[in-house]
Amino acid sequence: MNANAAWLVLAAISFNLTRAAGTLASRFHTRATTTTIRTHLIAVPARIARSARRLRLHLPERWPWETAWHALFTAAAGPPAAAT
């Protein structure tokens, strides 16, 4: 019984986080379904490259949801910290 309650809580949290991500991304994704948000913003067709101990994300050229993904990333992670 406790395991079912834990799965229900996790499903509710993931649903709420997905809806919040859609709201932060764009006006279109605010009203989109969970599947659309997952395919457009979460399952990103990107390549990860590592150099100089930094990770870089290479997004595809002319990717239609780049601006929405960038808005979501900026809202969630914020601008990079200034070097001192």
Side-chain angles (χ1 to χ4, degrees):
M1 205 54 131
N2 289 335
N4 290 339
W7 278 108
L8 178 64
V9 168
L10 290 175
I13 289 171
S14 66
F15 176 79
N16 288 335
L17 286 174
T18 305
R19 300 306 309 164
T23 303
L24 290 173
S26 68
R27 179 170 276 190
F28 169 76
H29 289 100
T30 299
R31 299 191 57 143
T33 63
T34 305
T35 306
T36 303
I37 295 170
R38 191 178 332 119
T39 57
H40 289 187
L41 301 175
I42 297 173
V44 179
R47 183 175 55 88
I48 299 173
R50 183 186 332 187
S51 66
R53 296 182 184 166
R54 293 187 181 210
L55 293 175
R56 295 183 186 240
L57 192 64
H58 295 280
L59 296 172
E61 291 183 24
R62 293 185 296 277
W63 185 44
W65 302 287
E66 182 177 2
T67 55
W69 188 86
H70 193 298
L72 173 62
F73 183 77
T74 304
T84 56

